[in-house]
Amino acid sequence: MDLKDRVVIVTGSTSGIGEAVARRLAAAGASIVVNSATSAEAGEAIAGELPDAIYVQGDISDPQTAVSLVESALERWGRLDGLVNNAARTVQIPMADIDAVTADHWRMILEVNVMGTFLVSQAALPALRNSDDGWIINITSVAGVRQTGSSIPYAVSKAAVDHLTTLLAKYGAGEVRVNAVAPGLVATPWTADWDDLKAGVTAIAPLHRVATPDDVADACETLIASRYVTGQTLVVDGGLSLVL
Ligand SMILES: NC(=O)c1ccc[n+]([C@@H]2O[C@H](COP(=O)([O-])OP(=O)(O)OC[C@H]3O[C@@H](n4cnc5c(N)ncnc54)[C@H](OP(=O)(O)O)[C@@H]3O)[C@@H](O)[C@H]2O)c1
């Protein structure tokens, strides 16, 4: 994949999947806007390690963050070609514990995962439409396509982003391709202490392991290279959703 002279924003790229995707696209030649809400030191360090990158701090649920991410890319490089909407939040509440879910959980998760993803996409689309190969990839989850995941609000938020993916592909994007990658269980800081779940996935998933962040980066590369694909969700779960 040759992304020389291409400019990409990766939200939530100081850790885990976002960091792996940012590093992969940078290795292919892209200039990268690295982002996170709180981990500014890690963000500056990653941007400093990449060949051509800047770090922009901001919570994607704040409308101003969407504006600064896009303006920073345009000020520095004068163009924007890709957006990876990766930043998200969750809360761990067993699915059956309906009474434990509060309005604050819904507000926090929907504001970041759904509204934040929309706001950054909305801000980026005019510049992406000016690219001869503009694209958006939303990182969703197997929780959005099967009855599983860290909590009901999280699973619903990821299903919503899969649907947002189709809506933007159909109505909002001009010739910009909009797709989603839905990982199964991935070994990242987010899942660092989920040992029982990892053992369970390793036992039942047809490919008998959890994913690495690089597995997700592979899928992103595939979608970036697939120039006639839009409005799709690519499930990257080692076959886990086949057995749930
Ligand atoms: N790990 C899994 O098993 C798994 C499975 C399916 C889907 N996913 C999805 O993959 C994505 C990344 O997950 P991960 O496991 O790589 O998580 P992670 O290692 O915890 O990284 C999350 C990144 O997002 C940033 N972030 C969080 N909230 C943000 C916000 N409101 N605004 C801007 N940045 C924000 C974090 O930085 P700060 O905290 O400093 O803001 C960090 O850089 C998420 O969309 C998640 O839902 C993960």
Side-chain angles (χ1 to χ4, degrees):
M1 186 174 57
D2 182 6
L3 294 179
K4 192 171 171 299
D5 299 326
R6 300 286 173 177
V7 178
V8 179
I9 296 170
V10 185
T11 66
S13 42
T14 59
S15 169
I17 292 167
E19 179 183 352
V21 171
R23 289 187 185 279
R24 180 73 66 88
L25 303 187
S31 303
I32 306 287
V33 179
V34 176
N35 156 262
S36 67
T38 59
S39 48
E41 209 176 308
E44 295 290 0
I46 290 165
E49 286 169 27
L50 300 180
D52 189 26
I54 54 174
Y55 170 68
V56 176
Q57 185 174 7
D59 184 323
I60 59 157
S61 65
D62 175 353
Q64 189 49 45
T65 298
V67 174
S68 13
L69 286 167
V70 175
E71 280 183 355
S72 301
L74 296 179
E75 270 165 30
R76 170 75 175 257
W77 296 288
R79 61 184 294 153
L80 183 65
D81 301 283
L83 165 64
V84 182
N85 282 310
N86 168 76
R89 295 263 191 239
T90 193
V91 60
Q92 270 186 273
I93 300 173
M95 290 280 182
D97 195 355
I98 304 288
D99 291 343
V101 178
T102 67
D104 283 345
H105 293 139
W106 279 108
R107 218 171 272 121
M108 182 269 287
I109 290 172
L110 294 184
E111 282 189 3
V112 173
N113 301 8
V114 183
M115 189 185 75
T117 295
F118 175 80
L119 290 175
V120 181
S121 304
Q122 181 186 48
L125 272 168
L128 294 173
R129 290 191 197 105
N130 285 335
S131 170
D132 61 339
D133 183 25
W135 52 264
I136 295 175
I137 295 176
N138 296 322
I139 305 298
T140 59
S141 173
V142 71
V145 293
R146 286 291 180 272
Q147 289 63 43
T148 186
S150 42
S151 63
I152 286 181
Y154 175 76
V156 169
S157 78
K158 291 299 186 174
V161 176
D162 280 337
H163 197 51
L164 175 65
T165 301
T166 68
L167 293 170
L168 289 181
K170 182 171 179 182
Y171 293 111
E175 290 174 12
V176 177
R177 294 175 286 128
V178 186
N179 292 293
V181 172
L185 188 63
V186 189
T188 71
W190 178 309
T191 60
D193 57 0
W194 297 10
D195 291 338
D196 289 350
L197 202 55
K198 285 178 187 162
V201 167
T202 303
I204 66 168
L207 298 187
H208 292 300
R209 65 176 176 85
V210 300
T212 65
D214 272 326
D215 290 320
V216 183
D218 288 344
C220 292
E221 267 200 85
T222 301
L223 285 174
I224 293 165
S226 300
R227 296 187 68 160
Y228 202 55
V229 176
T230 196
Q232 304 303 308
T233 294
L234 178 55
V235 179
V236 180
D237 68 346
L240 182 64
S241 51
L242 303 174
V243 296
L244 289 177

